[in-house]
Amino acid sequence: MEETLFLGGKRHPKRSSSSSSSSSSNDVWTNFYERLKDIRSLHKRRQLTQPQEENVPYTPPSTQEILQEYLDTPYLDAVFTTSEDFGRRLSLDDFFSSFCNLKKIQRHFAKESTEKELSRLRKKGLSEEALKERAASLLAENEETMFDYLSFIRLLGDFSGVPRHLKYKQKDYRDFLLRLAEYLKDFFFRANPFADADKVEETISAEFNRLFKDKQIRGWETETHKLELYCLLSDRLFASPNTKAHYQQSAAYKKKLLEAASSSNEKREEIIKSSEETDRDIASLEFSIKYFVDMLQPQINQTIAYYQKKQSTNAEEALEEDNEESSDEEDAAAAEEESEAEEDEGPVYNPLNLPLGKVFRV
């Protein structure tokens, strides 16, 4: 109460110059500054010694501590999508759909799987006629179920199984690689904000140049223009000797032969150079994807584990639903049996009042 009156301008008898309890308008500010002076003196007496005064060296936080603080902030929902789970998982659904839409590649793997299955059945003694009947159904089945999402994630970064003729000058395949490489790169730097982007890209480029020059990148040991199924005149790579032979008998090929006879060697060198640049472009994208996949392996493992658990949960829920449906059907059947039993136990319809249990013969 006294403190309130004091700040309101009423002078304390001990501090007042007169014994009068009256106060003037200046007493409010006088009391305020006196109280401020008391507070300052109190803090000065109780002031704690600062670390700098004790000559304690300042230790800046480590990069890992800063990164952990960054990852622990509640604003990561603006950095990662919901399916990325704050950078713990990758969101590859769109890329899986795009890969499934590469029909030529899907058909190739389906045929390859079908041939392996037919070869296995042939070794078991199945006749050629029976194999021919099974081939169409096997191919259709493999085209539908060749790849699932988990298989796609496990094989991510390994493009050695895709034949060269389905890579060379295939725009849809290159677009798929480009989008996937950009996403993995973007995700990596979002998950590792303190990584030096220039240094990482320089490392990838230097490693690729070295391996590509030494022909040590799997699937790119030989240039496309040196392959037997490559046609220099049309700058085209064929899938099989039969398709190449069929093309060489066409009028379009003969026309190109006439044009090539009148052209110089410079034209030939330009085609070869363009072919090598195409090889380098596709191989570089594949290598970049593989490099980022290796660095993002913990997130990929988390993604696989998450979807495996999700599949298991869905399977359990489906089993529970089946059990519930079976239980409902059993309950309905039991209720029907009880109803029939009640009808059997009821009085027999006998309008003529004939003796029951006796058989009358006519």
Side-chain angles (χ1 to χ4, degrees):
M1 185 66 178
E2 292 181 359
E3 184 74 15
T4 305
L5 294 173
F6 180 74
L7 292 176
K10 187 171 181 60
R11 301 287 291 167
H12 196 277
K14 295 181 180 180
R15 298 181 182 178
S16 178
S17 57
S18 63
S19 60
S20 175
S21 61
S22 63
S23 61
S24 65
S25 61
N26 293 331
D27 289 342
V28 175
W29 296 107
T30 303
N31 294 350
F32 171 76
Y33 284 113
E34 283 186 4
R35 178 57 63 198
L36 186 61
K37 183 178 179 181
D38 293 342
I39 293 172
R40 285 178 176 174
S41 62
L42 177 64
H43 279 278
K44 190 173 183 180
R45 289 195 303 270
R46 297 182 179 180
Q47 187 176 13
L48 298 176
T49 306
Q50 298 297 324
Q52 291 82 356
E53 297 177 0
E54 296 181 355
N55 296 323
V56 177
Y58 172 71
T59 305
S62 64
T63 304
Q64 187 62 33
E65 291 173 345
I66 297 175
L67 176 60
Q68 191 61 43
E69 182 181 357
Y70 170 80
L71 294 175
D72 291 340
T73 56
Y75 305 107
L76 290 181
D77 53 348
V79 179
F80 298 100
T81 63
T82 304
S83 57
E84 290 173 339
D85 191 24
F86 301 103
R88 298 184 184 93
R89 299 193 304 266
L90 294 170
S91 179
L92 299 168
D93 302 70
D94 292 341
F95 300 101
F96 173 64
S97 299
S98 299
F99 184 74
C100 291
N101 287 329
L102 298 175
K103 298 301 182 182
K104 293 180 181 179
I105 294 177
Q106 295 295 321
R107 196 174 298 114
H108 165 77
F109 284 118
K111 287 182 178 179
E112 191 177 63
S113 179
T114 301
E115 290 174 0
K116 289 180 180 179
E117 180 64 17
L118 292 176
S119 177
R120 186 184 67 82
L121 294 174
R122 187 178 289 108
K123 290 179 180 179
K124 284 190 172 184
L126 205 65
S127 65
E128 291 298 326
E129 185 178 352
L131 289 173
K132 189 175 181 180
E133 293 177 357
R134 292 285 301 275
S137 60
L138 279 174
L139 181 60
E141 181 181 349
N142 287 331
E143 285 181 350
E144 292 181 0
T145 62
M146 191 63 229
F147 276 99
D148 59 6
Y149 188 58
L150 288 176
S151 299
F152 171 74
I153 298 176
R154 290 190 183 100
L155 295 174
L156 193 65
D158 183 9
F159 301 99
S160 59
V162 180
R164 183 76 65 86
H165 70 276
L166 297 179
K167 299 179 181 181
Y168 188 73
K169 291 189 178 295
Q170 300 294 323
K171 185 178 182 302
D172 54 353
Y173 180 71
R174 185 185 182 279
D175 291 343
F176 165 75
L177 293 179
L178 185 61
R179 288 180 56 244
L180 181 57
E182 289 177 350
Y183 170 74
L184 293 175
K185 175 183 174 181
D186 176 68
F187 182 91
F188 175 80
F189 288 115
R190 281 187 287 132
N192 300 274
F194 296 102
D196 190 334
D198 294 335
K199 188 174 182 179
V200 171
E201 291 180 5
E202 287 175 4
T203 302
I204 295 175
S205 179
E207 186 71 8
F208 169 75
N209 291 334
R210 182 182 66 82
L211 294 175
F212 190 76
K213 182 180 179 181
D214 296 339
K215 305 184 187 308
Q216 294 182 359
I217 296 180
R218 188 180 177 188
W220 295 96
E221 295 84 359
T222 306
E223 294 91 339
T224 300
H225 66 86
K226 293 182 180 179
L227 297 175
E228 293 183 2
L229 298 178
Y230 177 77
C231 178
L232 181 64
L233 296 180
S234 59
D235 190 19
R236 181 178 172 185
L237 184 64
F238 293 90
S240 66
N242 291 335
T243 54
K244 182 180 179 181
H246 184 269
Y247 171 75
Q248 289 176 338
Q249 295 174 1
S250 65
Y253 178 75
K254 294 176 181 178
K255 182 179 179 181
K256 287 186 178 293
L257 277 177
L258 295 175
E259 293 175 355
S262 59
S263 62
S264 61
N265 289 333
E266 293 181 359
K267 181 66 175 177
R268 176 188 175 91
E269 294 298 327
E270 288 178 3
I271 295 175
I272 292 176
K273 184 178 180 181
S274 174
S275 175
E276 291 177 347
E277 289 176 354
T278 301
D279 286 353
R280 187 180 186 86
D281 177 49
I282 299 298
S284 175
L285 289 173
E286 291 182 353
F287 183 83
S288 178
I289 291 171
K290 181 67 170 63
Y291 201 96
F292 280 111
V293 164
D294 291 341
M295 292 193 292
L296 293 171
Q297 201 59 47
Q299 286 88 342
I300 291 176
N301 293 336
Q302 285 289 334
T303 306
I304 293 174
Y306 172 78
Y307 280 96
Q308 284 177 335
K309 183 178 180 181
K310 190 175 181 180
Q311 283 185 349
S312 176
T313 303
N314 292 339
E316 291 176 359
E317 291 177 354
L319 182 61
E320 289 178 0
E321 290 179 0
D322 291 341
N323 292 336
E324 289 177 359
E325 291 178 0
S326 300
S327 178
D328 293 341
E329 291 176 358
E330 291 175 359
D331 293 342
E336 186 176 352
E337 290 177 359
E338 290 178 1
S339 177
E340 292 177 355
E342 290 176 357
E343 291 178 358
D344 293 340
E345 292 174 359
V348 178
Y349 180 70
N350 188 12
L352 299 178
N353 294 322
L354 297 174
L356 299 177
K358 295 183 179 180
V359 179
F360 292 87
R361 299 181 183 276
V362 180

